[in-house]
Amino acid sequence: GQQVMQIPQYQHVQEGEDFTTYCNSSTTLSNIQWYKQRPGGHPVFLIQLVKSGEVKKQKRLTFQFGEAKKNSSLHITATQTTDVGTYFCAGSEKLVFGKGTKLTVNP
Amino acid sequence: NAGVTQTPKFQVLKTGQSMTLQCAQDMNHNSMYWYRQDPGMGLRLIYYSASEGTTDKGEVPNGYNVSRLNKREFSLRLESAAPSQTSVYFCASSGQFRWTGNTIYFGEGSWLTVV
């Protein structure tokens, strides 16, 4: 079945550093979604990518969908303590989520 | 605007006991889901209901049953709880079945401990 691999599993950065998490699928995706879960909270939708090579920005967050629609990335510029949490990608087939990347930020 | 509401928020069960997690959404969504989240394992789909009247197994259905009571409500039942079912359970809903690309809205979670 489809698998969605997400790396790294953990990332610790100093406040102000950049952060990137990567999502790779074993199959071509019709779309991919990204979610953020704050510690003790529930996942909250961030964005959806649909088109091959698509790039979307939300303030300091940049999301990319690969040309082959099998991989995606989330890049945060100049991290802040409010960015702390676990970031999940979710592939379109079979409702599969990656295991997430847990981001911690040292102020 | 409540969104997705699930109860109870916390529960401790003894091995072998049964219980039902309740979930309701007020967004008139067609599709509903139950996930479990364990440390290092991400979110794993237990069961889903693409539309009222239908239910299907997800990645980890063993030990669980579900009921789509009506369009609003989707319950998860543990018939004979086991320590391996200690987890955080999330109910979720979306307008249409997820692979059409609709956003999934999650409830706040139910922390279940089986001793």
Side-chain angles (χ1 to χ4, degrees):
Chain A
Q2 183 203 32
Q3 293 186 2
V4 176
M5 308 299 293
Q6 200 171 344
I7 57 170
Q9 190 173 357
Y10 302 96
Q11 184 74 59
H12 178 76
V13 299
Q14 290 290 128
E15 190 171 21
E17 291 182 339
D18 291 357
F19 159 75
T20 305
T21 174
Y22 300 91
C23 184
N24 296 291
S25 171
S26 57
T27 60
T28 301
L29 303 169
S30 59
N31 64 75
I32 194 161
Q33 297 185 357
W34 286 92
Y35 292 78
K36 177 183 179 180
Q37 183 178 24
R38 296 183 185 275
H42 60 280
V44 174
F45 174 80
L46 291 176
I47 208 161
Q48 175 180 280
L49 304 172
V50 179
K51 299 176 182 177
S52 170
E54 188 170 15
V55 178
K56 287 188 176 181
K57 293 189 176 183
Q58 290 180 349
K59 298 182 179 179
R60 294 177 294 103
L61 278 61
T62 301
F63 303 84
Q64 293 188 335
F65 201 11
E67 294 291 341
K69 300 182 75 173
K70 296 179 71 173
N71 58 76
S72 181
S73 65
L74 158 60
H75 180 82
I76 302 178
T77 302
T79 54
Q80 300 176 358
T81 54
T82 53
D83 296 324
V84 164
T86 301
Y87 294 84
F88 293 97
C89 61
S92 54
E93 298 297 325
K94 298 295 185 183
L95 309 149
V96 177
F97 278 75
K99 292 185 178 181
T101 296
K102 184 176 182 179
L103 173 65
T104 55
V105 179
N106 195 29
Chain B
N1 189 0
V4 180
T5 304
Q6 52 182 112
T7 57
K9 194 168 181 66
F10 299 98
Q11 184 73 51
V12 178
L13 285 178
K14 293 183 179 179
T15 297
Q17 285 186 321
S18 62
M19 78 158 296
T20 299
L21 298 175
Q22 306 286 352
C23 177
Q25 51 90 10
D26 63 2
M27 295 175 281
N28 199 34
H29 283 169
N30 288 312
S31 303
M32 298 185 73
Y33 318 85
W34 277 105
Y35 290 89
R36 61 176 289 174
Q37 185 174 37
D38 304 292
M41 297 298 292
L43 291 156
R44 293 184 292 171
L45 182 66
I46 305 171
Y47 270 93
Y48 65 94
S49 172
S51 60
E52 186 179 358
T54 69
T55 60
D56 283 287
K57 296 178 179 179
E59 297 173 76
V60 288
N62 291 345
Y64 305 96
N65 285 300
V66 291
S67 295
R68 184 74 183 266
L69 303 171
N70 48 55
K71 190 172 185 179
R72 291 187 63 250
E73 298 173 288
F74 189 40
S75 63
L76 178 71
R77 183 161 178 83
L78 286 70
E79 290 291 351
S80 179
S84 61
Q85 294 178 304
T86 293
S87 188
V88 182
Y89 291 85
F90 288 99
C91 179
S93 71
S94 67
Q96 299 293 334
F97 191 38
R98 189 179 168 312
W99 60 54
T100 64
N102 279 246
T103 303
I104 300 178
Y105 295 86
F106 286 84
E108 295 189 347
S110 296
W111 275 254
L112 177 65
T113 301
V114 183
V115 298

